[in-house]
Amino acid sequence: MEQRSSKMDRQTAETQVSLDLDLDGQGRYEINTGNGMFDHLLAQLSRHGLLDLTLSAKGDVEVGWHHLVEDVGIVLGKALREAVGEARGITRMAHAYVPLDEALALVVVDLSGRGYSVIDTALTDSDLGGLSGDLIDHFLESFSREGGFNLHVRVLAGSNNHHRAEAVFKGL
């Protein structure tokens, strides 16, 4: 069987991102972005997707988290696209309804080769470890675009931003 993995590095004037991704993993991860909440969300993606993920990201966070979060989405998307390759033998489309306490998220993907997203999380800025709700949505958009997959996300219920965001990443 063809190995479905990727190693990527991205260096810009604003960020340095290094990533190893194994699609046929066991949900192991080592993640260090400098933001505990972002690390936590990415860990859910790895753990529940059974993806092995090693990620180190540094950047100009003194001006905010935008550059770093966006570049992680870009690199993770490109790595996913490379690891999926020609997509032979995969289940192309899937969905998940994921609860976390009072929150409920619906996540639908189609590994179509066409990166497009419709994101409706209604996240605000509280309880997200210094990230904005818009920035989490932007990560998902960047990941989908660069990964070449169609992504629909809708948070159906919940009042706690942490729970709402975590349910989305578990579903993804």
Side-chain angles (χ1 to χ4, degrees):
M1 182 165 132
E2 189 177 320
Q3 185 165 3
R4 300 182 321 152
S5 62
S6 178
K7 291 183 181 211
M8 296 249 160
D9 289 300
R10 176 180 168 97
Q11 302 236 347
T12 69
E14 292 89 15
T15 65
Q16 302 85 44
V17 180
S18 287
L19 181 143
D20 291 344
L21 175 67
D22 182 355
L23 298 183
D24 300 308
Q26 298 177 353
R28 291 189 221 126
Y29 54 88
E30 280 185 50
I31 300 167
N32 185 1
T33 66
N35 182 287
M37 182 63 177
F38 193 38
D39 292 355
H40 177 64
L41 294 174
L42 293 168
Q44 303 317 303
L45 176 63
S46 173
R47 178 183 300 136
H48 295 280
L50 298 177
L51 312 169
D52 288 349
L53 177 63
T54 302
L55 171 66
S56 174
K58 296 178 183 173
D60 61 353
V61 297
E62 66 278 359
V63 300
W65 290 100
H66 182 89
H67 295 141
L68 186 127
V69 170
E70 180 179 49
D71 282 4
V72 168
I74 289 169
V75 173
L76 185 57
K78 287 181 177 184
L80 176 69
R81 185 181 283 227
E82 181 177 274
V84 167
E86 294 183 20
R88 291 197 178 115
I90 69 165
T91 301
R92 187 180 126 173
M93 292 173 266
H95 72 279
Y97 286 94
V98 177
L100 179 61
D101 296 344
E102 86 297 348
L104 178 64
L106 168 63
V107 179
V108 183
V109 298
D110 177 4
L111 295 173
S112 62
R114 295 180 306 278
Y116 191 84
S117 60
V118 178
I119 311 296
D120 182 9
T121 64
L123 291 169
T124 63
D125 296 347
S126 67
D127 201 25
L128 292 175
L131 300 176
S132 69
D134 287 343
L135 191 52
I136 291 172
D137 292 353
H138 185 57
F139 166 81
L140 295 168
E141 292 163 352
S142 298
F143 180 38
S144 168
R145 182 184 62 247
E146 297 298 330
F149 64 95
N150 191 268
L151 173 64
H152 283 255
V153 173
R154 178 169 289 167
V155 174
L156 303 171
S159 56
N160 180 288
N161 276 325
H162 182 125
H163 295 165
R164 293 164 64 95
E166 188 171 338
V168 166
F169 278 73
K170 284 180 175 182
L172 184 57

PDB file of all heavy atoms in Angstrom, residues 51-73:
ATOM      1  N   LEU A  51      -5.106  10.701  12.720  1.00  0.00           N
ATOM      2  CA  LEU A  51      -3.993  11.231  11.941  1.00  0.00           C
ATOM      3  C   LEU A  51      -2.820  11.457  12.875  1.00  0.00           C
ATOM      4  O   LEU A  51      -2.999  12.047  13.939  1.00  0.00           O
ATOM      5  CB  LEU A  51      -4.363  12.582  11.321  1.00  0.00           C
ATOM      6  CG  LEU A  51      -5.683  12.701  10.592  1.00  0.00           C
ATOM      7  CD1 LEU A  51      -5.973  14.163  10.286  1.00  0.00           C
ATOM      8  CD2 LEU A  51      -5.655  11.871   9.337  1.00  0.00           C
ATOM      9  N   ASP A  52      -1.643  11.022  12.508  1.00  0.00           N
ATOM     10  CA  ASP A  52      -0.457  11.372  13.280  1.00  0.00           C
ATOM     11  C   ASP A  52       0.021  12.723  12.770  1.00  0.00           C
ATOM     12  O   ASP A  52       0.193  12.923  11.560  1.00  0.00           O
ATOM     13  CB  ASP A  52       0.632  10.311  13.136  1.00  0.00           C
ATOM     14  CG  ASP A  52       0.288   9.019  13.869  1.00  0.00           C
ATOM     15  OD1 ASP A  52      -0.682   8.999  14.659  1.00  0.00           O
ATOM     16  OD2 ASP A  52       0.988   8.019  13.647  1.00  0.00           O
ATOM     17  N   LEU A  53       0.205  13.652  13.693  1.00  0.00           N
ATOM     18  CA  LEU A  53       0.535  15.023  13.329  1.00  0.00           C
ATOM     19  C   LEU A  53       1.639  15.551  14.235  1.00  0.00           C
ATOM     20  O   LEU A  53       1.515  15.532  15.455  1.00  0.00           O
ATOM     21  CB  LEU A  53      -0.716  15.906  13.468  1.00  0.00           C
ATOM     22  CG  LEU A  53      -0.562  17.399  13.203  1.00  0.00           C
ATOM     23  CD1 LEU A  53      -0.137  17.665  11.760  1.00  0.00           C
ATOM     24  CD2 LEU A  53      -1.874  18.119  13.526  1.00  0.00           C
ATOM     25  N   THR A  54       2.722  15.995  13.617  1.00  0.00           N
ATOM     26  CA  THR A  54       3.779  16.712  14.314  1.00  0.00           C
ATOM     27  C   THR A  54       3.836  18.091  13.690  1.00  0.00           C
ATOM     28  O   THR A  54       3.996  18.220  12.475  1.00  0.00           O
ATOM     29  CB  THR A  54       5.133  15.999  14.171  1.00  0.00           C
ATOM     30  OG1 THR A  54       5.011  14.667  14.681  1.00  0.00           O
ATOM     31  CG2 THR A  54       6.222  16.734  14.944  1.00  0.00           C
ATOM     32  N   LEU A  55       3.678  19.111  14.525  1.00  0.00           N
ATOM     33  CA  LEU A  55       3.581  20.467  14.018  1.00  0.00           C
ATOM     34  C   LEU A  55       4.308  21.425  14.948  1.00  0.00           C
ATOM     35  O   LEU A  55       4.107  21.415  16.157  1.00  0.00           O
ATOM     36  CB  LEU A  55       2.101  20.882  13.930  1.00  0.00           C
ATOM     37  CG  LEU A  55       1.803  22.346  13.630  1.00  0.00           C
ATOM     38  CD1 LEU A  55       2.256  22.717  12.230  1.00  0.00           C
ATOM     39  CD2 LEU A  55       0.330  22.617  13.812  1.00  0.00           C
ATOM     40  N   SER A  56       5.156  22.244  14.353  1.00  0.00           N
ATOM     41  CA  SER A  56       5.824  23.321  15.067  1.00  0.00           C
ATOM     42  C   SER A  56       5.622  24.590  14.251  1.00  0.00           C
ATOM     43  O   SER A  56       5.878  24.605  13.051  1.00  0.00           O
ATOM     44  CB  SER A  56       7.316  23.019  15.205  1.00  0.00           C
ATOM     45  OG  SER A  56       7.986  24.120  15.783  1.00  0.00           O
ATOM     46  N   ALA A  57       5.129  25.635  14.917  1.00  0.00           N
ATOM     47  CA  ALA A  57       4.879  26.890  14.215  1.00  0.00           C
ATOM     48  C   ALA A  57       5.278  28.061  15.102  1.00  0.00           C
ATOM     49  O   ALA A  57       4.951  28.095  16.286  1.00  0.00           O
ATOM     50  CB  ALA A  57       3.409  26.996  13.825  1.00  0.00           C
ATOM     51  N   LYS A  58       6.007  28.988  14.508  1.00  0.00           N
ATOM     52  CA  LYS A  58       6.415  30.209  15.192  1.00  0.00           C
ATOM     53  C   LYS A  58       6.124  31.370  14.262  1.00  0.00           C
ATOM     54  O   LYS A  58       6.170  31.211  13.041  1.00  0.00           O
ATOM     55  CB  LYS A  58       7.904  30.193  15.524  1.00  0.00           C
ATOM     56  CG  LYS A  58       8.298  29.113  16.489  1.00  0.00           C
ATOM     57  CD  LYS A  58       9.776  29.109  16.741  1.00  0.00           C
ATOM     58  CE  LYS A  58      10.105  27.954  17.673  1.00  0.00           C
ATOM     59  NZ  LYS A  58      11.525  27.778  17.850  1.00  0.00           N
ATOM     60  N   GLY A  59       5.861  32.525  14.855  1.00  0.00           N
ATOM     61  CA  GLY A  59       5.597  33.666  14.004  1.00  0.00           C
ATOM     62  C   GLY A  59       5.527  34.966  14.758  1.00  0.00           C
ATOM     63  O   GLY A  59       5.821  35.038  15.952  1.00  0.00           O
ATOM     64  N   ASP A  60       5.105  35.968  14.051  1.00  0.00           N
ATOM     65  CA  ASP A  60       5.043  37.327  14.579  1.00  0.00           C
ATOM     66  C   ASP A  60       3.765  37.552  15.395  1.00  0.00           C
ATOM     67  O   ASP A  60       2.982  38.445  15.117  1.00  0.00           O
ATOM     68  CB  ASP A  60       5.161  38.346  13.439  1.00  0.00           C
ATOM     69  CG  ASP A  60       4.044  38.228  12.418  1.00  0.00           C
ATOM     70  OD1 ASP A  60       3.231  37.268  12.493  1.00  0.00           O
ATOM     71  OD2 ASP A  60       3.971  39.099  11.532  1.00  0.00           O
ATOM     72  N   VAL A  61       3.574  36.729  16.422  1.00  0.00           N
ATOM     73  CA  VAL A  61       2.344  36.781  17.210  1.00  0.00           C
ATOM     74  C   VAL A  61       2.192  38.076  18.006  1.00  0.00           C
ATOM     75  O   VAL A  61       1.108  38.365  18.496  1.00  0.00           O
ATOM     76  CB  VAL A  61       2.209  35.550  18.138  1.00  0.00           C
ATOM     77  CG1 VAL A  61       2.106  34.276  17.307  1.00  0.00           C
ATOM     78  CG2 VAL A  61       3.353  35.476  19.133  1.00  0.00           C
ATOM     79  N   GLU A  62       3.246  38.880  18.079  1.00  0.00           N
ATOM     80  CA  GLU A  62       3.120  40.167  18.762  1.00  0.00           C
ATOM     81  C   GLU A  62       2.148  41.086  18.020  1.00  0.00           C
ATOM     82  O   GLU A  62       1.610  42.024  18.612  1.00  0.00           O
ATOM     83  CB  GLU A  62       4.487  40.846  18.946  1.00  0.00           C
ATOM     84  CG  GLU A  62       5.167  41.279  17.664  1.00  0.00           C
ATOM     85  CD  GLU A  62       5.926  40.167  16.937  1.00  0.00           C
ATOM     86  OE1 GLU A  62       5.960  39.019  17.411  1.00  0.00           O
ATOM     87  OE2 GLU A  62       6.480  40.471  15.858  1.00  0.00           O
ATOM     88  N   VAL A  63       1.869  40.803  16.754  1.00  0.00           N
ATOM     89  CA  VAL A  63       0.890  41.590  16.003  1.00  0.00           C
ATOM     90  C   VAL A  63      -0.459  40.864  15.929  1.00  0.00           C
ATOM     91  O   VAL A  63      -1.380  41.333  15.263  1.00  0.00           O
ATOM     92  CB  VAL A  63       1.377  41.932  14.575  1.00  0.00           C
ATOM     93  CG1 VAL A  63       2.658  42.736  14.623  1.00  0.00           C
ATOM     94  CG2 VAL A  63       1.546  40.683  13.720  1.00  0.00           C
ATOM     95  N   GLY A  64      -0.560  39.737  16.608  1.00  0.00           N
ATOM     96  CA  GLY A  64      -1.784  38.937  16.611  1.00  0.00           C
ATOM     97  C   GLY A  64      -1.513  37.550  16.056  1.00  0.00           C
ATOM     98  O   GLY A  64      -0.411  37.242  15.606  1.00  0.00           O
ATOM     99  N   TRP A  65      -2.537  36.721  16.074  1.00  0.00           N
ATOM    100  CA  TRP A  65      -2.401  35.311  15.692  1.00  0.00           C
ATOM    101  C   TRP A  65      -2.702  35.043  14.224  1.00  0.00           C
ATOM    102  O   TRP A  65      -2.564  33.915  13.743  1.00  0.00           O
ATOM    103  CB  TRP A  65      -3.301  34.448  16.578  1.00  0.00           C
ATOM    104  CG  TRP A  65      -2.803  34.391  17.970  1.00  0.00           C
ATOM    105  CD1 TRP A  65      -3.257  35.105  19.049  1.00  0.00           C
ATOM    106  CD2 TRP A  65      -1.715  33.617  18.454  1.00  0.00           C
ATOM    107  NE1 TRP A  65      -2.522  34.810  20.162  1.00  0.00           N
ATOM    108  CE2 TRP A  65      -1.561  33.884  19.824  1.00  0.00           C
ATOM    109  CE3 TRP A  65      -0.832  32.713  17.853  1.00  0.00           C
ATOM    110  CZ2 TRP A  65      -0.583  33.290  20.604  1.00  0.00           C
ATOM    111  CZ3 TRP A  65       0.141  32.118  18.638  1.00  0.00           C
ATOM    112  CH2 TRP A  65       0.255  32.408  19.998  1.00  0.00           C
ATOM    113  N   HIS A  66      -3.115  36.048  13.474  1.00  0.00           N
ATOM    114  CA  HIS A  66      -3.600  35.832  12.112  1.00  0.00           C
ATOM    115  C   HIS A  66      -2.580  35.128  11.209  1.00  0.00           C
ATOM    116  O   HIS A  66      -2.901  34.107  10.581  1.00  0.00           O
ATOM    117  CB  HIS A  66      -4.034  37.152  11.464  1.00  0.00           C
ATOM    118  CG  HIS A  66      -4.570  36.961  10.087  1.00  0.00           C
ATOM    119  ND1 HIS A  66      -5.906  36.710   9.852  1.00  0.00           N
ATOM    120  CD2 HIS A  66      -3.957  36.929   8.873  1.00  0.00           C
ATOM    121  CE1 HIS A  66      -6.089  36.554   8.559  1.00  0.00           C
ATOM    122  NE2 HIS A  66      -4.924  36.687   7.937  1.00  0.00           N
ATOM    123  N   HIS A  67      -1.370  35.649  11.094  1.00  0.00           N
ATOM    124  CA  HIS A  67      -0.379  35.064  10.187  1.00  0.00           C
ATOM    125  C   HIS A  67      -0.095  33.607  10.533  1.00  0.00           C
ATOM    126  O   HIS A  67      -0.046  32.739   9.656  1.00  0.00           O
ATOM    127  CB  HIS A  67       0.929  35.857  10.198  1.00  0.00           C
ATOM    128  CG  HIS A  67       0.785  37.244   9.673  1.00  0.00           C
ATOM    129  ND1 HIS A  67       1.456  38.308  10.238  1.00  0.00           N
ATOM    130  CD2 HIS A  67       0.054  37.761   8.655  1.00  0.00           C
ATOM    131  CE1 HIS A  67       1.149  39.408   9.581  1.00  0.00           C
ATOM    132  NE2 HIS A  67       0.294  39.109   8.624  1.00  0.00           N
ATOM    133  N   LEU A  68       0.099  33.339  11.820  1.00  0.00           N
ATOM    134  CA  LEU A  68       0.452  31.987  12.238  1.00  0.00           C
ATOM    135  C   LEU A  68      -0.692  31.014  11.983  1.00  0.00           C
ATOM    136  O   LEU A  68      -0.495  29.938  11.406  1.00  0.00           O
ATOM    137  CB  LEU A  68       0.849  31.969  13.714  1.00  0.00           C
ATOM    138  CG  LEU A  68       1.373  30.610  14.166  1.00  0.00           C
ATOM    139  CD1 LEU A  68       2.726  30.768  14.819  1.00  0.00           C
ATOM    140  CD2 LEU A  68       0.398  29.964  15.110  1.00  0.00           C
ATOM    141  N   VAL A  69      -1.908  31.368  12.369  1.00  0.00           N
ATOM    142  CA  VAL A  69      -3.050  30.470  12.199  1.00  0.00           C
ATOM    143  C   VAL A  69      -3.319  30.232  10.712  1.00  0.00           C
ATOM    144  O   VAL A  69      -3.539  29.092  10.284  1.00  0.00           O
ATOM    145  CB  VAL A  69      -4.294  31.035  12.925  1.00  0.00           C
ATOM    146  CG1 VAL A  69      -5.550  30.256  12.561  1.00  0.00           C
ATOM    147  CG2 VAL A  69      -4.070  31.016  14.436  1.00  0.00           C
ATOM    148  N   GLU A  70      -3.276  31.280   9.914  1.00  0.00           N
ATOM    149  CA  GLU A  70      -3.494  31.134   8.471  1.00  0.00           C
ATOM    150  C   GLU A  70      -2.429  30.240   7.844  1.00  0.00           C
ATOM    151  O   GLU A  70      -2.752  29.341   7.045  1.00  0.00           O
ATOM    152  CB  GLU A  70      -3.478  32.499   7.805  1.00  0.00           C
ATOM    153  CG  GLU A  70      -3.688  32.429   6.298  1.00  0.00           C
ATOM    154  CD  GLU A  70      -3.685  33.809   5.670  1.00  0.00           C
ATOM    155  OE1 GLU A  70      -2.754  34.602   5.949  1.00  0.00           O
ATOM    156  OE2 GLU A  70      -4.616  34.082   4.905  1.00  0.00           O
ATOM    157  N   ASP A  71      -1.163  30.455   8.185  1.00  0.00           N
ATOM    158  CA  ASP A  71      -0.092  29.662   7.586  1.00  0.00           C
ATOM    159  C   ASP A  71      -0.154  28.201   8.018  1.00  0.00           C
ATOM    160  O   ASP A  71       0.168  27.309   7.228  1.00  0.00           O
ATOM    161  CB  ASP A  71       1.272  30.278   7.884  1.00  0.00           C
ATOM    162  CG  ASP A  71       1.560  31.486   6.994  1.00  0.00           C
ATOM    163  OD1 ASP A  71       0.667  31.878   6.212  1.00  0.00           O
ATOM    164  OD2 ASP A  71       2.663  32.044   7.096  1.00  0.00           O
ATOM    165  N   VAL A  72      -0.580  27.930   9.238  1.00  0.00           N
ATOM    166  CA  VAL A  72      -0.775  26.540   9.647  1.00  0.00           C
ATOM    167  C   VAL A  72      -1.876  25.914   8.790  1.00  0.00           C
ATOM    168  O   VAL A  72      -1.741  24.778   8.322  1.00  0.00           O
ATOM    169  CB  VAL A  72      -1.096  26.426  11.154  1.00  0.00           C
ATOM    170  CG1 VAL A  72      -1.584  25.016  11.508  1.00  0.00           C
ATOM    171  CG2 VAL A  72       0.134  26.769  11.984  1.00  0.00           C
ATOM    172  N   GLY A  73      -2.959  26.638   8.538  1.00  0.00           N
ATOM    173  CA  GLY A  73      -4.020  26.129   7.672  1.00  0.00           C
ATOM    174  C   GLY A  73      -3.526  25.848   6.266  1.00  0.00           C
ATOM    175  O   GLY A  73      -3.866  24.826   5.659  1.00  0.00           O
TER     176      GLY A  73
END
